[in-house]
Amino acid sequence: MPSPLSIRRVVLYKHGVGYFERRGKVTGSETAHLDFKARDMNDVLKSMTVLDLNGGSVSAVSYDSTKPLEQLLSEATIRIPEHGSLTALLGQVKGARVRARVGGAQVEGAIVGLESLPVVQGEASVVRPFLTLLVGASLRTFDVLELGELEFLDEAVRKDLEFYLATVMSSYKKDSKRLSILTAGEGSRELFVSYVLESPVWKTSYRILLDEGQPPLLQGWAMVDNTGDEDWVDVELSLIAGLPVSFVHDLYNPRYLRRPVVEVRSETGVAPVIPEEAYESAPSEPMMESVDDSFGSSADMASPIMPSMAAPAAAPRMMRSKGGPMIGGGGRGGMREALEQSTSVTTLTKEVGDLFEYGVDRPVTVHRNQSALVPIVHRPFEGRRVLLYNRATREKNPMACIEFKNTTGLTLEGGPVTITEDETYVGEAMLDTLKPDDTRFVPYAVELSCVVSVEEDREDGPVFRARINRGTLVVEFFHLRRRKVLARNKAKRPQVLFVEHPRTGWELKDTATPAETTDGFWRFKRELAPGASDTLVITERSKGHRQYALGNLGLDEVAFFLDSRFIDPRVAQALRDVVALREKLSNVARDLQRLNEERTQLFKDQERIRSNIDSLKSGASQRELVERFVTKLNAQEDRLEIIGRELERLEQERTRLQAETNQRIESLSYEADL
């Protein structure tokens, strides 16, 4: 049975959903049915609102289960096969009471069974099904093929049979789920149903007309798609710009919780129960402002879109229609006048929170699996033709742009733009989403009549600050980089050029103030006379620094710092003292190294002498040689003692000098602006 609820209102959003309203008449306790695709059920169950507007009530809303067909049929007590359905059905309902019409008489009884018996027809024997009924106290058999009617008197059997057939019928449209609205009340009443479904995003495209001496004209179209299974006939259509929160949540599929299984245990005896002691208790687990739905009204789409703007022109210039006025070939303004006459846009707009609504003032018709163009804006705006140069976009030429200020009073959704200048197609662009009074550059073509060249150089500026702290001299200076932009206007008309320069954390120095600043660029405005050239120099600077460790300086570096005015005479003298201390440290280190080398050599000589003594044999000559070696060892031991005392003294001296040097370096503190 078709639903009495027809679509009356459609609101499409830019984030992939659509809001639908249905209205219709129901009488008494009539049930209204709606069919949805299976993938839409989650959105429907999440958002559906049902109201009886005339005093009735909605008792329940039921919908098809998600169980597979085989599982649903397995729950039915009746199974009907593909072939032999009648005899198979009667064989399954033994005991069911029926009323059979045989010829002109009716017989009531209970089904006993069904059997096949041979029947002689002429010279052949044919097997025919016979139904046996218990009528009163008698068993009577009837040829099934001769029964004119068989009525089931048991309500349970009838319901099982209806459930089985309805389930099989629903399987023929596998992607469709039926939702039934059960109502209660008296008389004829109006039923209101609203819900949100996944829908194609509505799109926008624009046309801009540039005419000399007149403000630019903007014409905007919205593209809507009806991908549903039902026609939109004379519906109110609204289009919402913005990005409200929306998500998918599974409400359609049943949820089951896993429950613990407690088994019955059989025991021969009952033992005393001794509960275990608890030492820790776990805490028990703890098991939107409404939005105004009063959207605006909508636009007529029942007729085809006007051919003048249904698609961009195939030729660069509009041609004269046969017998009609000249559009594009004669006087200026022909296209503008034609557009104003052929496209009357009376879109109703309003703010809905942070959203913006376009509603067209006439009913709209869009058939299933069709799309349509709806005019949403036709207004002049504040803008002019300018040039925009960005080296990363195109190195040699700027882009021709429209400096677009949204003075239409509307929020304009982003979309492609086709630009016509002096009734000639000149390019295309993409328009960002614009709030009222927002300004954007809309580039649509490369401006070949303007040539740009760029030169760059870098250098380090003079040191402007020096400071000494914790043994380090730090000098600060500026890294400088310059970009020279030379623009030559070869056109015969003056042009306004905006030069975009990247913002990378450097600051401007000795450069004209930019006309505009964006997140990533500075924009410098230049006026280009016909046939003239212009030079823009952009200088940037960024702080840099160099570090010098004072413990590694020599007298030459100290003299250089003093000549460069990094330090004053007091600090220079302190650094000279540090250099002198470092020189003494070097001398001590050399003495230590010399004495250590001498001691090492003495150790080696003693090992050689002791080895020689051990190898000598007894005898007068041998004893003289041993005495000589012993005398030499004694002299070396005396020298080793002297070296040990000297090394100890030198180590103490080195420690003292190092500590004094470190103390003087750490105590130095100095800062000067140069």
Side-chain angles (χ1 to χ4, degrees), residues 609-619 621-630:
I609 291 171
R610 290 189 181 97
S611 177
N612 290 336
I613 292 174
D614 292 339
S615 64
L616 293 176
K617 298 179 181 180
S618 61
S621 60
Q622 301 287 352
R623 284 195 299 273
E624 292 178 1
L625 188 57
V626 169
E627 291 175 359
R628 179 181 174 187
F629 285 156
V630 170

Side-chain angles (χ1 to χ4, degrees), residues 561-605:
F561 294 156
L562 185 60
D563 292 341
S564 301
R565 298 173 54 209
F566 295 171
I567 57 177
D568 60 11
R570 177 187 66 82
V571 175
Q573 184 57 48
L575 290 179
R576 292 191 190 100
D577 294 342
V578 169
V579 173
L581 287 173
R582 287 181 59 246
E583 184 62 29
K584 291 181 180 180
L585 271 172
S586 298
N587 294 334
V588 171
R590 284 193 296 270
D591 291 342
L592 284 170
Q593 182 179 3
R594 176 179 56 77
L595 290 175
N596 280 318
E597 290 175 353
E598 182 181 355
R599 185 170 62 174
T600 301
Q601 186 61 43
L602 288 174
F603 285 151
K604 290 181 180 180
D605 288 346

Side-chain angles (χ1 to χ4, degrees), residues 52 175 313 361 381 427 451 475 555 582:
D52 191 316
D175 191 43
D361 67 339
F381 65 91
V451 180
V475 294
L555 293 177
R582 287 181 59 246

Side-chain angles (χ1 to χ4, degrees), residues 503-573:
R503 296 175 59 196
T504 58
W506 293 46
E507 63 176 340
L508 295 176
K509 174 67 174 175
D510 300 330
T511 302
T513 303
E516 295 180 1
T517 302
T518 70
D519 288 340
F521 296 96
W522 285 301
R523 287 198 184 120
F524 299 91
K525 182 179 177 182
R526 314 298 290 178
E527 301 285 347
L528 302 181
S533 297
D534 177 82
T535 301
L536 169 67
V537 179
I538 304 171
T539 303
E540 298 173 281
R541 69 180 186 180
S542 177
K543 286 184 179 180
H545 69 275
R546 286 188 291 269
Q547 296 182 351
Y548 303 91
L550 300 183
N552 299 326
L553 297 180
L555 293 177
D556 292 340
E557 286 86 349
V558 174
F560 169 74
F561 294 156
L562 185 60
D563 292 341
S564 301
R565 298 173 54 209
F566 295 171
I567 57 177
D568 60 11
R570 177 187 66 82
V571 175
Q573 184 57 48

